[in-house]
Amino acid sequence: MKKSMLVFCCCMGLVLLWLPFIWREISRGKEDIRITQEILAGDPEAARGVTLGVASHWDRQLLWDTELTIGSGQEAESVFTYSPRKISWYRTVEDVAEADFLYASDYGTGITHSPMVVCADDMPYPCIAQAVMDHTAAGEVHVEAVRIGDYYAWYPVSFEITGNSVEYLGDYGQALAYLMNLFQIPVSEDMLEITVEKDQEGNVISLVGRKKAGFRGSGIADASAFGEDGCYYAFCMEEADTGRRMDLGENGGIFYLPFVREKSWLQVDLTGMEKVCGLPGGAVPQGMLLEEEKGYLYLVAGEGTGYSLLVYSLEAGIPVLRQQIFLGQEMASDTGETAWDGLYLEDLDLELEMALPEVCAVQSGAGGLLVTWSDNRFSFVTEEDGQYELWCSGRFPGKKEGEYVWTGREGWSRVDPFPREQECLFDGERLVLAAFEGWDTLDVLLAVYGREGERYAGRYRHSGAWEDALYGTGPFQTGILPQGRDSLAYFQENVGGQVTVQDTGEAVEVLRLHMD
């Protein structure tokens, strides 16, 4: 027993003896953080006085908060902290409401070797499925094209809220029937091609359906904005290939859906949704923002050849259109541009997907409204005494050509972080925008704009960036990563050689811009 105690004391003594050296080695990480400037275009004097801040971590326990003031001639400075508990690292997910056609374009059962029971009530458009089944003789494969309008007046729709956890009250099927009658999306001249196969005993062993659009393919264009007690939702029909308004006679417009919020949990009764106003002619909803305290609702809409910002004031919750501002952006179909939301890689067997650029975010702050598109375009709108004005439009610098990243939900993509996760700073004379160059790096792209356009663009390389660390040239082999927007961390600071715990519970901004 005494021998064991002696060994324990010796081990503890060695640990205490080496503790200062261990701490010095950990602390040395903050001296390794460097941010270097690379000029891409323009004059860096345009960014003088702007402070760029980056919060990063290694293994969610070693934390750096690094700041560089551009044009000061000073090196970047880091505040280094250590947490024995791993910080939580997650990104805030915004609530989104979306409608779609209830039934997919292609559907059906698989052919089996044994008889199976195919019930029409379990299939999309059950009345049509039953009719074609009745027209099919035993041992026959029967193909029939049916006009949907002969059986249904409006398209059945689905409606989903993502972001928070959602509890749909009442019978969900009845709620969707309510929305079908509320939205009233005509089936127009669309057709269904149904193929039914029966065995010799007359059992249906296969049923396959495919929707065939009429004159032009159409889709639902929508946007939503959430408040504390409900959300605004706007929709209309659009041409699938151009993004333009396709008026089929649907009951499109702006709707309001009340709900009960319990922290991150929403209780929603879809039968409570009501239409509150229409949409201006030709307007196709692309993005929406609600400012409840100011009593304003903003809708970005595509309108034929370009995009506009519709400014609504809320009067007893009813949107009243006050202003319509052209955003100085042309629609992609008019510029001849094509945005690629996906990438085909033969070795990964991924699907090739093409789509028009979409509005990614409409956000307020920094003295105005910033609208971003998935192709890195943006528009900045200022407000003074209740009047809104386009201040400038442009395109933020993108990542290197041919560079693709894995973005999880979106798969392999060329989509930059800028449209969704950027920082914006406006001082009345210059607009400063910044974003990480990629989803897996700490290198920052920063650009300064005036009313006339871009004045400066630069890349700010972080010495702990993932790609540097991955190849052993950064401070840690495993790489330093962003702490993540809205991470709740248990911070610990080194004070006078002692470590004290400070549970701040504050949100950490992974990327910041400010001026003194």
Side-chain angles (χ1 to χ4, degrees):
M1 181 68 178
K2 290 182 179 181
K3 184 177 180 180
S4 299
M5 183 62 69
L6 180 61
V7 172
F8 173 78
C9 292
C10 290
C11 291
M12 287 302 297
L14 289 173
V15 170
L16 292 174
L17 178 64
W18 281 97
L19 188 58
F21 299 98
I22 295 172
W23 178 254
R24 187 182 308 152
E25 184 66 23
I26 294 175
S27 296
R28 195 174 66 181
K30 83 174 189 179
E31 297 175 356
D32 290 336
I33 299 297
R34 296 286 185 269
I35 295 181
T36 56
Q37 176 180 270
E38 178 185 336
I39 299 173
L40 300 178
D43 186 355
E45 280 295 309
R48 177 178 288 274
V50 174
T51 298
L52 171 66
V54 179
S56 57
H57 75 90
W58 179 65
D59 199 30
R60 296 192 291 148
Q61 288 186 279
L62 304 184
L63 314 173
W64 288 265
D65 195 346
T66 306
E67 288 194 345
L68 172 69
T69 300
I70 300 173
S72 67
Q74 303 295 318
E75 297 288 335
E77 296 183 356
S78 295
V79 175
F80 174 74
T81 55
Y82 168 72
S83 171
R85 296 182 59 179
K86 291 181 181 292
I87 64 171
S88 68
W89 183 23
Y90 64 91
R91 297 184 183 275
T92 300
V93 179
E94 294 184 354
D95 294 315
V96 176
E98 295 178 304
D100 201 354
F101 298 118
L102 182 60
Y103 303 131
S105 297
D106 299 297
Y107 61 88
T109 63
I111 297 178
T112 63
H113 296 289
S114 60
M116 62 178 293
V117 177
V118 177
C119 179
D121 290 338
D122 297 330
M123 303 300 298
Y125 308 102
C127 293
I128 297 177
Q130 186 61 59
V132 180
M133 289 166 63
D134 292 342
H135 298 163
T136 306
E140 180 185 20
V141 176
H142 176 65
V143 181
E144 185 172 336
V146 182
R147 181 177 175 271
I148 301 176
D150 292 339
Y151 294 85
Y152 298 90
W154 302 314
Y155 270 117
V157 295
S158 63
F159 192 86
E160 183 180 13
I161 295 176
T162 58
N164 279 284
S165 298
V166 179
E167 176 187 2
Y168 297 101
L169 304 177
D171 184 272
Y172 187 68
Q174 293 179 1
L176 294 186
Y178 170 84
L179 293 183
M180 179 185 71
N181 289 281
L182 179 64
F183 294 161
Q184 298 181 8
I185 302 176
V187 297
S188 188
E189 296 301 315
D190 289 354
M191 306 284 289
L192 276 182
E193 186 178 84
I194 303 292
T195 302
V196 174
E197 181 178 359
K198 288 185 178 180
D199 61 16
Q200 296 298 328
E201 285 73 37
N203 299 306
V204 177
I205 60 174
S206 174
L207 188 151
V208 178
R210 182 179 183 183
K211 190 175 87 170
K212 303 177 69 174
F215 177 67
R216 282 183 178 176
S218 61
I220 298 175
D222 55 10
S224 61
F226 282 70
E228 280 299 313
D229 302 314
C231 74
Y232 287 91
Y233 172 77
F235 98 95
C236 73
M237 300 301 295
E238 67 172 344
E239 294 178 359
D241 55 346
T242 67
R244 285 185 170 87
R245 180 78 170 263
M246 188 177 186
D247 192 350
L248 298 178
E250 71 276 7
N251 186 31
I254 300 179
F255 299 76
Y256 183 73
L257 174 63
F259 52 68
V260 176
R261 184 184 295 272
E262 296 287 344
K263 295 183 179 180
S264 61
W265 185 275
L266 301 182
Q267 295 180 329
V268 181
D269 181 359
L270 294 179
T271 62
M273 181 182 287
E274 294 181 352
K275 184 176 179 178
V276 290
C277 71
L279 291 170
V284 179
Q286 297 280 331
M288 188 181 285
L289 172 68
L290 173 63
E291 288 191 316
E292 284 189 306
E293 292 185 359
K294 291 180 61 176
Y296 276 85
L297 180 69
Y298 309 97
L299 176 66
V300 177
E303 295 184 287
T305 60
Y307 299 90
S308 291
L309 175 69
L310 308 179
V311 180
Y312 294 86
S313 63
L314 298 177
E315 299 183 5
I318 305 300
V320 177
L321 183 61
R322 296 300 184 188
Q323 242 186 302
Q324 188 165 347
I325 302 102
F326 181 64
L327 295 179
Q329 302 281 11
E330 294 180 321
M331 304 214 22
S333 57
D334 295 300
T335 62
E337 297 176 359
T338 302
W340 296 83
D341 282 343
L343 169 68
Y344 179 73
L345 298 176
E346 291 185 0
D347 55 335
L348 295 178
D349 194 26
L350 296 178
E351 181 180 357
L352 176 66
E353 181 181 342
M354 269 177 34
L356 295 174
E358 61 179 10
V359 172
C360 286
V362 185
Q363 59 195 62
S364 64
L369 294 171
L370 180 68
V371 182
T372 58
W373 281 263
S374 58
D375 59 355
N376 269 21
R377 286 185 292 168
F378 72 89
S379 291
F380 186 72
V381 176
T382 57
E383 181 266 333
E384 185 175 355
D385 298 329
Q387 291 296 307
Y388 292 81
E389 178 187 10
L390 175 66
W391 197 82
C392 77
S393 288
R395 188 189 294 270
F396 188 76
K399 64 168 59 69
K400 301 170 186 176
E401 187 174 351
E403 182 180 358
Y404 293 83
V405 295
W406 178 259
T407 60
R409 177 182 175 185
E410 292 164 349
W412 285 94
S413 176
R414 272 177 49 184
V415 175
D416 295 284
F418 166 75
R420 292 172 174 82
E421 298 193 24
Q422 77 290 318
E423 284 299 306
C424 175
L425 180 66
F426 181 65
D427 65 0
E429 296 182 357
R430 55 182 175 169
L431 174 68
V432 186
L433 300 174
F436 288 116
E437 186 175 16
W439 293 96
D440 54 358
T441 179
L442 288 171
D443 291 346
V444 175
L445 292 173
L446 182 145
V448 181
Y449 301 86
R451 279 184 172 272
E452 74 284 358
E454 183 182 279
R455 295 179 179 175
Y456 166 70
R459 178 181 289 111
Y460 291 82
R461 294 194 177 277
H462 191 289
S463 64
W466 170 258
E467 58 264 32
D468 293 336
L470 185 64
Y471 296 106
T473 59
F476 294 100
Q477 286 280 21
T478 52
I480 297 178
L481 300 173
Q483 287 187 31
R485 188 180 302 273
D486 298 328
S487 296
L488 298 180
Y490 292 89
F491 288 99
Q492 296 197 341
E493 295 186 359
N494 182 24
V495 181
Q498 300 295 319
V499 177
T500 57
V501 179
Q502 295 182 345
D503 182 3
T504 64
E506 297 177 353
V508 174
E509 291 292 328
V510 64
L511 184 64
R512 304 183 308 278
L513 292 173
H514 66 85
M515 287 186 289
D516 295 332

